[in-house]
């Protein structure tokens, strides 16, 4: 696959699909990691003398309901990203309020070699998420070459991630992946096709139903899967345990039994539970299969932590998705911290990958993100890459 390094683009207009879907609060960027991660590709193109046109989506925009649309357009502007990017690059980043039309064309025509232009949120266009051919045509007309560097959006075949490169490629124009996508693919490939065994998957988070496809896929690839988070209670219930008021997906019980029959799944033996999610008067550790009436499981217990840490220590490859408990609250962090710590101790001895938005946030919150071999910037995209045996539409279209 061609990368940005291989491109000969001096004087050419290069459209770069970035992932600037940053968390905003009251119009301020709370975490600029995604902008920082995009810098190597942008800097490379500037140094090559390209005219760098950047596109990204930000948040969700509802085009059906006019009130929600107005809110979405106000809330999800990329203008603050242009400012922050300018600071990080130490050069002006021109911002186009228009997502297509004469004003945008004029801005592009005015660009000099090495200039950077950021286009307003791609999702302000109704046709973006529908991969609308007319929209793809309009955007493709702005560019002589295309670089895909939005790993977090590579699982979506939208106009800016799929339609545009498809058109440009068919016209014989250069298309490539950026450094961020290259790094993600190189690292995630090692958990798609695992060579260093034992291969352990750690799965947690909220719902079994969100993760069915990835569990199926991991069962084929892994030697063992350890389960935590709320999804553990669906398994425990399926095996006949009492789970109190813990969240259970009743429509997933058969599936959970079937998965458990693989013999590869380990479940928590004890659980930290509480008599209320928000204002508990009692928090205690019980056996996972005996959670009392009126109590809800919120983290894996101390015996499970020991058991899971021992499993982690034995692994040579680890893929982790989903926190072990409600890590956002101090009382239910210990399980997730234990997994972070055990993985961190494998540094230099095993290949450890985190895929999943909340798991990556947890690992950063607890200060362990530098200790992992790879922390993916794409939650959904990293899961889909495993589910689809290494394939994602936004990357396959380049190759
Ligand atoms: P990721 O984003 O890493 O894929 P998910 O989105 O699947 O992870 O799950 C993360 C959420 O799951 C967190 O907000 C966490 O609080 C929640 N969670 C984990 N364990 C429990 C539990 N026992 N009860 C309720 N929520 C839980
Ligand atoms: Mg999540």
């Amino acid at each position: 696959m061609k990368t940005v390094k291989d491109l000969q683009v001096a004087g050419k207009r290069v459209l770069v699909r970035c992932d600037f879907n940053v968390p905003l609060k009251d119009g301020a960027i709370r975490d600029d990691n995604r902008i920082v991660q995009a810098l190597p590709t942008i800097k490379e193109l500037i140094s090559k003398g390209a005219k760098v046109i950047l596109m990204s989506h930000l948040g969700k925009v509802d085009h059906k309901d006019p009130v929600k649309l107005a809110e979405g357009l106000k809330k999800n502007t990329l203008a603050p990203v242009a400012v922050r990017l300018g600071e990080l690059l130490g050069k002006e980043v021109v911002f186009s309020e228009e997502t297509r039309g004469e004003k945008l064309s004029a801005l592009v025509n005015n660009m000099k070699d090495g200039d950077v232009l950021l286009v307003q949120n791609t999702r302000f266009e109704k046709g973006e998420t529908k991969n609308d051919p007319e929209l793809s045509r309009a955007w493709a007309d702005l560019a002589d070459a295309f670089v895909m560097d939005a790993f977090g959006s590579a699982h979506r075949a939208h106009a800016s991630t799929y339609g545009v490169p498809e058109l440009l490629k068919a016209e014989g124009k250069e298309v490539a992946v950026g450094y961020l996508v290259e790094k993600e693919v190189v690292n995630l490939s090692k958990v798609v096709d695992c060579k260093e065994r034992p291969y352990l998957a750690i799965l947690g988070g909220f719902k079994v139903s969100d993760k069915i496809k990835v569990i199926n896929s991991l069962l084929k690839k892994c030697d063992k899967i350890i389960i935590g988070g709320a999804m553990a209670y669906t398994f425990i219930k399926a095996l006949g345990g009492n789970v109190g008021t813990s969240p259970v997906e009743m429509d997933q019980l058969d599936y959970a039994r079937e998965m458990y029959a693989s013999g590869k799944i380990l479940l928590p033996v004890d659980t930290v539970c509480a008599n209320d999610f928000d204002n508990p008067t009692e928090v205690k550790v019980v056996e996972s299969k005996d959670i009392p009436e009126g109590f809800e499981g919120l983290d894996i217990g101390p015996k499970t932590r020991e058991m899971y840490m021992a499993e982690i220590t034995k692994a040579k490859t680890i893929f982790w998705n989903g926190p072990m408990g409600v890590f956002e609250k101090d009382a239910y962090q210990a399980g997730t911290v234990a997994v972070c710590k055990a993985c961190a101790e494998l540094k230099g001895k095993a290949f450890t990958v985190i895929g999943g938005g909340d798991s990556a946030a947890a690992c950063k919150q607890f200060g362990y993100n530098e200790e992992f071999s790879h922390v993916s910037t794409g939650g959904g995209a990293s899961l889909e890459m495993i589910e689809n045996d290494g394939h994602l539409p936004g990357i396959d279209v380049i190759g």
Side-chain angles (χ1 to χ4, degrees):
M1 201 168 4
K2 212 180 246 185
T3 75
V4 61
K5 207 171 181 176
D6 309 315
L7 293 180
Q8 315 250 319
V9 285
K12 288 193 185 163
R13 302 167 302 164
V14 182
L15 184 60
V16 189
R17 178 55 161 93
C18 298
D19 177 9
F20 292 145
N21 187 25
V22 293
L24 290 175
K25 192 159 190 219
D26 304 322
I29 298 168
R30 272 198 296 119
D31 181 355
D32 67 1
N33 180 44
R34 286 191 159 154
I35 309 176
V36 172
Q37 298 271 352
L39 295 174
T41 293
I42 299 171
K43 284 183 178 163
E44 170 88 18
L45 289 167
I46 294 171
S47 75
K48 286 187 160 166
K51 299 176 171 106
V52 188
I53 307 164
L54 307 172
M55 284 193 178
S56 173
H57 82 278
L58 175 62
K60 288 201 172 88
V61 182
D62 183 339
H63 286 270
K64 286 196 196 94
D65 176 343
V67 178
K68 283 192 192 150
L69 175 60
E71 273 170 25
L73 296 178
K74 192 164 167 244
K75 196 173 85 188
N76 296 313
T77 173
L78 276 173
V81 172
V83 175
R84 183 71 189 122
L85 179 62
E87 289 165 3
L88 290 166
L89 286 173
K91 71 181 273 146
E92 189 192 9
V93 173
V94 176
F95 182 62
S96 168
E97 293 282 357
E98 264 76 48
T99 42
R100 64 170 139 172
E102 277 171 31
K103 282 190 195 158
L104 173 57
S105 301
L107 285 174
V108 171
N109 290 338
N110 279 334
M111 289 176 84
K112 296 188 192 64
D113 298 353
D115 278 359
V116 181
L117 171 76
L118 174 64
V119 180
Q120 182 58 287
N121 191 346
T122 52
R123 288 201 187 158
F124 284 13
E125 290 279 352
K126 196 171 155 192
E128 158 74 333
T129 56
K130 300 189 174 77
N131 190 15
D132 177 65
E134 205 193 320
L135 179 62
S136 299
R137 182 71 266 164
W139 283 341
D141 286 342
L142 297 174
D144 307 305
F146 179 88
V147 174
M148 174 59 176
D149 212 18
F151 182 74
S153 302
H155 56 312
R156 300 192 171 113
H158 291 173
S160 67
T161 57
Y162 195 89
V164 174
E166 194 185 32
L167 280 172
L168 291 172
K169 204 174 146 190
E171 288 160 9
K173 299 195 170 127
E174 286 193 290
V175 296
V177 296
Y179 287 125
L180 173 60
V181 166
E182 186 186 26
K183 186 169 94 182
E184 292 276 7
V185 170
V186 165
N187 284 302
L188 288 170
S189 295
K190 295 186 197 166
V191 289
V192 171
D193 295 310
C194 174
K195 302 221 164 50
E196 302 292 328
R197 291 181 179 277
Y199 180 7
L200 175 72
I202 308 168
L203 287 180
F206 200 62
K207 282 186 177 170
V208 175
S209 54
D210 284 348
K211 310 271 166 89
I212 289 178
K213 281 203 271 172
V214 81
I215 300 176
N216 281 340
S217 177
L218 284 169
L219 276 173
K220 286 184 219 137
K221 300 176 190 300
C222 289
D223 300 301
K224 220 173 251 182
I225 302 185
I226 58 186
I227 301 227
M231 71 153 93
Y233 306 111
T234 296
F235 281 89
I236 289 162
K237 174 87 184 173
L239 299 177
N242 297 318
V243 296
T245 54
S246 307
V248 167
E249 288 178 277
M250 294 305 282
D251 56 345
Q252 300 299 333
L253 296 180
D254 288 339
Y255 171 75
R257 270 188 289 269
E258 204 183 298
M259 294 301 103
Y260 189 76
S262 69
K264 290 187 175 180
I265 289 181
L266 280 185
L267 295 171
V269 292
D270 58 351
T271 287
V272 180
C273 63
N275 59 354
D276 190 68
F277 187 88
D278 290 310
N279 299 302
T281 50
E282 203 182 342
V283 179
K284 58 185 178 182
V285 176
V286 299
E287 277 189 44
S288 299
K289 60 178 184 6
D290 266 322
I291 301 177
E293 248 346 283
F295 281 77
E296 177 180 359
L298 295 163
D299 193 10
I300 59 174
K303 280 194 199 131
T304 310
R305 292 203 295 267
E306 289 302 321
M307 183 175 117
Y308 284 4
M309 286 172 92
E311 286 299 331
I312 292 170
T313 309
K314 287 188 260 173
K316 282 274 176 273
T317 302
I318 290 182
F319 176 75
W320 177 22
N321 167 275
M324 295 291 101
V326 184
F327 74 95
E328 296 91 340
K329 292 178 186 259
D330 292 352
Y332 318 118
Q333 288 179 346
T336 305
V337 172
V339 166
C340 281
K341 223 172 141 203
C343 290
E345 278 163 17
L346 287 178
K347 193 173 184 175
K349 288 181 261 177
F351 189 73
T352 52
V353 172
I354 300 183
D358 291 295
S359 335
C363 157
K364 191 168 181 185
Q365 183 185 323
F366 302 134
Y368 288 99
N369 50 329
E370 296 295 327
E371 311 305 311
F372 281 77
S373 309
H374 183 65
V375 181
S376 176
T377 56
S382 59
L383 287 189
E384 283 198 31
M385 192 158 163
I386 292 188
E387 289 162 12
N388 304 330
D389 276 327
H391 292 284
L392 291 176
I395 295 174
D396 289 352
V397 71
I398 305 291

